[in-house]
Amino acid sequence: MNCETLLTQISAQCDAFRADLTSAAQNLRDFNRRLEQILLQLHKDLTVRDEEFAGQFNQYCQDLRQKLDKDEPFWTQTRNQVRSYKTADWTGDLALAAKGLNSRAKTLSRACDEFTTAYDAFCRNYSGFTAAKLNVWLLTSCQNDANNLTGKILFLAREIAKKTERNRGPHVYG
C-alpha cells in the first residue's frame, strides 16, 4: 500500500469515527434528559414511567464498547504502518490530502469533546441515582478510550502533515 492510499483510508476511517462519536454524544444527551426526568419523578415520589431506561442504557454502553473495540485494531495497524514509511515517502504532492486529514482529525477532536461534555453532564446527574443498576463504569471506559484514541489520531495527522510539508520543497510558497 502506498502513502496516498493509506491517507485516503485514514481520512475515511476518521470521518466514520467522528460520525460514531457524534451519534454517541447525541444518544448520551438523550439518556441524560431521560435520567433527569427519572430523578425528578423520584424526587416528587411519583412512579417512574421510563421502565426501559436501565436496559437501553446498558445496551447503549455495550454497543459503544463494541464499536470502539472494532476500530482499535485498524488504528493500531495504521499507526505502525505510518511509522514504517520513510519521511521521503510522504511526497509533497500529498500535502493537500495531509492537510485535509489534519482538518478531519481536528473535527474528530471536537466531536470527542462534545462526547466528553455529554458524559460529564450525565455523570453529574448519575451521581445521586441509585434506583437502577447502570453500567456507567463501561461508559467511563469508552469515554477514556475514545479520548485517548482521538489524541493519537490527532498526533498522527499532524505528523503526516509535517512530513508532507517538509517534502514540498523550498520553492513552494503558500
Side-chain angles (χ1 to χ4, degrees):
M1 177 182 313
N2 63 14
C3 293
E4 185 176 2
T5 306
L6 182 63
L7 207 50
T8 304
Q9 284 182 350
I10 293 171
S11 294
Q13 196 69 21
C14 193
D15 286 341
F17 188 39
R18 180 189 48 78
D20 288 344
L21 279 180
T22 301
S23 173
Q26 181 59 44
N27 289 339
L28 191 53
R29 284 191 288 271
D30 291 342
F31 280 116
N32 189 36
R33 279 193 288 278
R34 290 171 63 187
L35 180 61
E36 287 173 343
Q37 198 66 26
I38 290 170
L39 289 172
L40 187 61
Q41 290 169 358
L42 290 173
H43 181 71
K44 293 182 177 182
D45 287 330
L46 298 173
T47 310
V48 175
R49 290 173 271 196
D50 193 351
E51 296 173 359
E52 296 91 29
F53 177 77
Q56 289 174 354
F57 177 79
N58 290 339
Q59 186 62 47
Y60 160 78
C61 291
Q62 284 188 338
D63 292 344
L64 184 59
R65 176 80 269 160
Q66 288 172 355
K67 280 183 185 178
L68 288 172
D69 288 344
K70 182 183 65 112
D71 289 346
E72 180 66 32
F74 170 81
W75 290 109
T76 303
Q77 179 186 11
T78 300
R79 286 194 331 266
N80 289 334
Q81 193 166 5
V82 167
R83 287 185 201 121
S84 72
Y85 290 127
K86 297 176 184 138
T87 304
D89 293 338
W90 296 99
T91 58
D93 62 331
L94 297 175
L96 186 59
K99 285 182 180 183
L101 173 62
N102 200 17
S103 177
R104 282 181 171 90
K106 288 177 185 176
T107 305
L108 170 63
S109 180
R110 284 191 289 277
C112 188
D113 290 345
E114 289 176 17
F115 179 67
T116 300
T117 301
Y119 166 79
D120 290 341
F122 183 85
C123 285
R124 270 194 305 278
N125 287 326
Y126 174 73
S127 64
F129 181 68
T130 58
K133 185 174 177 155
L134 302 178
N135 291 339
V136 176
W137 60 271
L138 189 57
L139 180 63
T140 301
S141 170
C142 291
Q143 189 274 328
N144 287 333
D145 289 351
N147 208 9
N148 290 336
L149 185 57
T150 299
K152 290 176 184 176
I153 293 168
L154 196 55
F155 180 77
L156 179 73
R158 287 178 183 156
E159 286 300 306
I160 291 172
K162 279 185 204 175
K163 289 178 182 181
T164 57
E165 195 63 34
R166 262 189 242 132
N167 290 333
R168 283 182 74 192
H171 60 284
V172 178
Y173 298 102

